Amino acid sequence: MLACRGLTKSFATPQGSLTVLDGINLELDHGDSLALMGESGSGKSTLMHLIAGLDDFDSGSLRFNGRELGQLSETAQARLRRERIGLIFQQFHLVPSLDVRANLALQARLAGRFDDAWCDHLLERLGLTELTGRYPEQLSGGQQQRLAIGRALAVRPDLLLADEPTGNLDERAAETVLELLMALADEHGCALMMITHSPAVAAPLRRRYRLTHGRLAEET
Ligand SMILES: Nc1ncnc2c1ncn2[C@@H]1O[C@H](COP(=O)(O)OP(=O)(O)OP(=O)(O)O)[C@@H](O)[C@H]1O
């Protein structure tokens, strides 16, 4: 479903060009799950941003569902990503003026993929049914992150990208959120790529990769 080949990315800095990704090869299939680990500054978020289309790569190839992203128009790329990729960040990025149900449905509505029954199912699975009329500020951190997971899944994506999704949560809330994230990705058959610093968080995922000096290596 996702195939990166020889992806490179450098940033211009006052000290000169900084090569962050130096030939990344990676494949991810439906139902697969992968932890992306590495020191702070090793390029984990940069790689995720390239896959999500939040930034451009310098060279290499990025194929998603059999299509070379670089060959699609900006609009087609944006549509593909809006419809097929769900993003979850450490900060929840919920809309303060929308209640739980409206936040959950937001991306799916924008992508033209809203399904009432699927949203109800997600609310139920995420333990948010009783809270549907509340606003984000009336939720705990764990509840907010569960809602952000629901929003990403509401679109029925092929790929979920999660950047330290439990980084802002205490241990107990983190555990619940992770279990739900993995269970729902599994039930829905979508691939999951998760950035984490924690070996314990990475352990249940099918594969673990480490970024070092711009290169990606699988941990055995
Ligand atoms: N827009 C930018 N301009 C210049 N340098 C950048 C830019 N974005 C990221 N970098 C640099 O690229 C490197 C990789 O950053 P990135 O955020 O991908 O690391 P990370 O592995 O996700 O780190 P962390 O675990 O701390 O979140 C860092 O040295 C960072 O300073």
Side-chain angles (χ1 to χ4, degrees):
M1 181 209 16
L2 174 76
C4 308
R5 286 272 162 273
L7 272 193
T8 68
K9 177 70 181 174
S10 300
F11 291 110
T13 72
Q15 291 75 36
S17 173
L18 172 72
T19 300
V20 175
L21 302 176
D22 188 14
I24 300 294
N25 298 318
L26 180 67
E27 284 188 17
L28 202 56
D29 282 321
H30 288 280
D32 207 353
S33 62
L34 182 153
L36 183 57
M37 306 173 77
E39 299 284 304
S40 179
S42 59
K44 303 180 295 296
S45 298
T46 302
L47 176 56
M48 195 163 273
H49 290 170
L50 297 187
I51 293 170
L54 300 174
D55 202 354
D56 295 322
F57 48 92
D58 299 331
S59 63
S61 135
L62 187 50
R63 292 179 76 80
F64 188 73
N65 285 348
R67 297 156 94 183
E68 180 62 50
L69 292 188
Q71 288 172 0
L72 299 178
S73 68
E74 290 274 326
T75 319
Q77 277 196 49
R79 179 164 359 100
L80 187 98
R81 283 162 167 142
R82 199 168 54 230
E83 293 175 358
R84 299 292 168 188
I85 299 179
L87 300 174
I88 301 162
F89 297 100
Q90 191 170 337
Q91 289 80 21
F92 317 122
H93 298 299
L94 299 168
V95 181
S97 59
L98 296 180
D99 69 12
V100 164
R101 198 166 210 295
N103 262 290
L104 186 124
L106 183 64
Q107 192 192 346
R109 285 193 192 279
L110 291 174
R113 287 170 66 78
F114 173 70
D115 179 322
D116 220 8
W118 174 236
C119 286
D120 282 341
H121 171 73
L122 286 173
L123 286 165
E124 183 70 41
R125 286 289 282 108
L126 291 162
L128 296 171
T129 305
E130 307 300 316
L131 307 175
T132 44
R134 289 206 197 174
Y135 289 84
E137 64 175 13
Q138 301 168 319
L139 301 176
S140 72
Q143 289 165 343
Q144 291 190 53
Q145 191 59 308
R146 280 186 265 153
L147 178 51
I149 290 169
R151 177 185 54 197
L153 277 162
V155 75
R156 283 171 282 132
D158 293 319
L159 173 63
L160 266 184
L161 298 176
D163 192 346
E164 300 221 47
T166 56
N168 266 338
L169 305 178
D170 66 41
E171 208 174 318
R172 217 162 130 232
E175 211 170 290
T176 312
V177 160
L178 273 178
E179 277 171 15
L180 279 167
L181 175 57
M182 285 187 275
L184 281 167
D186 211 38
E187 281 168 31
H188 180 53
C190 76
L192 171 65
M193 178 167 163
M194 179 157 62
I195 292 179
T196 179
H197 284 281
S198 159
V201 169
L205 300 182
R206 291 203 178 95
R207 291 187 285 151
R208 280 152 292 284
Y209 280 79
R210 185 167 293 276
L211 251 178
T212 318
H213 304 303
R215 298 293 183 124
L216 198 57
E218 184 162 9
E219 300 212 316
T220 46

